Amino acid sequence: MDWILHNDEFIQEVDLKISKEDRGYQFGDGIYEVIRVYGGDLYTAKEHIDRFYASAEKVKIVVPYTKDVFHKLMYDLVERNEINNGQVYVQITRGAFMRQHHFPSDTSPVVVAYTKSVERPLELMRNGAHAIFLEDIRWLRCDIKSLNLLGNVMAKQEAYENGCYEAVLHRGEVITEGSSSNMYGIKDGILYTHPATNLILDGITRRTILGLCDELGITVQQTPMTKDQALDMDEFFMSSTTAEIIPLTQIDGNKIGTGERGTLTEKLQKAFEAKLNLGVQI
Ligand code: PSZ
């Protein structure tokens, strides 16, 4: 059976004991990361670990080990569980204490991490997916990878109930991000995406994509798109650690561009894949 990391111990799931008063469970009082594993290696590990520590700091949780120790624990978990292609999920909560809103003064944070095998969603990468527009009703600190995902969960559910894969969230007319992804439009060869402010998660895949645009000579404008502008784009796509780059070919039933994967989207997907050392799969 797979190993689970609990604080600094590798244990079996049956032995995992989480308090009924864990603040992650009661308040969503914690933060998390998902790190991709390709060929047994943690992909862009440093960026994910840095963001984990940054999210923790923003909510005043102190991670109980150094980044180097944390990295080693993640790596050991992947190795023990013999994960080839998959992901690590890791979260830290403020810990367990008699229920009260303000921070307890003497409790220790609780870390849990586990792994899972995940294949690359190649079909979706090639054929794209459909999305809906939905008002972004989340709080104003979307830069924190918080365990409080109710707004995201409600949005994703709405998309699924409408036969769609993702919700394109907007505050008023302005598109922010997806329920679990970042959003991009391409018009006349220029890539548009929301700037990394408090209104979106500064995606690690997003950073990789912006780096690829630089390498490929694609101009990037980190200015938010309106809904109307999005519908008028030549290409539209989303990104996340697990999804990588998935074309969104329709929003609310409206075709974007040709209604198929766009040429620059494909170019970015191939450049992304080339960095994974997995050979040509897309
Ligand atoms: O397994 C999955 O479906 C995953 S793994 C990571 C995500 C989904 N999404 C992360 C995410 C997010 O939750 C929000 C609200 N915005 C953007 C992203 C993309 O961030 P990265 O690229 O760091 O995964």
Side-chain angles (χ1 to χ4, degrees):
M1 288 300 282
D2 283 352
W3 294 97
I4 291 179
L5 177 71
H6 182 223
N7 297 329
D8 52 5
E9 279 180 347
F10 292 101
I11 60 167
Q12 291 290 303
E13 186 168 359
V14 287
D15 299 319
L16 178 64
K17 289 195 174 62
I18 298 293
S19 164
K20 66 179 184 294
E21 288 178 317
D22 188 288
R23 292 175 64 95
Y25 184 54
Q26 292 196 328
F27 297 107
D29 186 1
I31 59 95
Y32 75 106
E33 268 302 321
V34 180
I35 311 175
R36 196 72 164 100
V37 179
Y38 293 118
D41 267 336
L42 292 158
Y43 187 63
T44 53
K46 183 181 182 310
E47 286 79 359
H48 283 280
I49 293 166
D50 284 348
R51 189 172 65 184
F52 185 84
Y53 277 71
S55 289
E57 200 178 328
K58 286 172 185 176
V59 299
K60 301 180 179 166
I61 291 175
V62 179
V63 184
Y65 13 67
T66 64
K67 287 183 183 178
D68 283 347
V69 169
F70 183 78
H71 194 158
K72 187 168 184 329
L73 288 168
M74 296 302 113
Y75 187 80
D76 287 352
L77 186 64
V78 167
E79 205 172 38
R80 274 171 182 256
N81 290 339
E82 296 176 15
I83 300 297
N84 186 31
N85 293 318
Q87 65 187 29
V88 179
Y89 174 86
V90 54
Q91 68 169 46
I92 183 167
T93 74
R94 202 177 304 281
F97 198 76
M98 174 194 67
R99 191 175 184 280
Q100 60 173 38
H101 283 63
H102 60 284
F103 300 171
S105 51
D106 63 344
T107 191
S108 304
V110 175
V111 175
V112 171
Y114 61 87
T115 59
K116 160 172 121 164
S117 289
V118 186
E119 292 308 318
R120 300 175 68 210
L122 296 172
E123 277 304 303
L124 282 167
M125 289 179 187
R126 291 184 198 114
N127 301 327
H130 295 175
I132 56 165
F133 280 132
L134 208 61
E135 185 68 36
D136 190 346
I137 58 164
R138 299 171 304 158
W139 71 333
L140 298 173
R141 291 307 306 275
C142 299
D143 55 310
I144 301 172
K145 209 163 164 56
S146 148
L147 292 178
N148 284 273
L149 287 175
L150 201 47
N152 307 64
V153 166
M154 297 300 285
K156 184 75 93 189
Q157 180 61 19
E158 188 79 18
Y160 271 66
E161 285 177 9
N162 284 281
C164 288
Y165 181 70
E166 181 57 303
V168 180
L169 304 179
H170 54 89
R171 292 194 189 260
E173 287 306 304
V174 168
I175 290 171
T176 50
E177 60 176 345
S179 74
S180 65
S181 58
N182 291 116
M183 291 290 166
Y184 314 77
I186 297 175
K187 180 76 179 172
D188 299 328
I190 299 174
L191 182 137
Y192 297 86
T193 194
H194 196 288
T197 65
N198 61 308
L199 298 183
I200 70 162
L201 184 73
D202 182 3
I204 307 299
T205 322
R206 178 184 180 280
R207 297 184 210 169
T208 304
I209 290 166
L210 298 187
L212 290 172
C213 285
D214 206 31
E215 287 172 29
L216 297 170
I218 300 170
T219 306
V220 172
Q221 283 211 10
Q222 296 192 49
T223 46
M225 285 172 273
T226 64
K227 288 165 68 186
D228 284 346
Q229 285 168 338
L231 292 175
D232 190 42
M233 290 283 155
D234 301 323
E235 307 181 29
F236 204 85
F237 67 86
M238 52 166 268
S239 77
S240 79
T241 290
T242 310
E244 298 179 19
I245 297 172
I246 292 187
L248 295 178
T249 54
Q250 285 190 20
I251 307 177
D252 278 354
N254 303 293
K255 276 188 190 172
I256 311 293
T258 61
E260 288 181 17
R261 170 169 71 171
T263 46
L264 282 183
T265 306
E266 184 174 351
K267 204 169 171 185
L268 283 167
Q269 286 178 321
K270 293 199 161 140
F272 189 98
E273 182 176 74
K275 293 202 182 286
L276 309 180
N277 297 316
L278 298 172
V280 177
Q281 297 186 330
I282 301 178

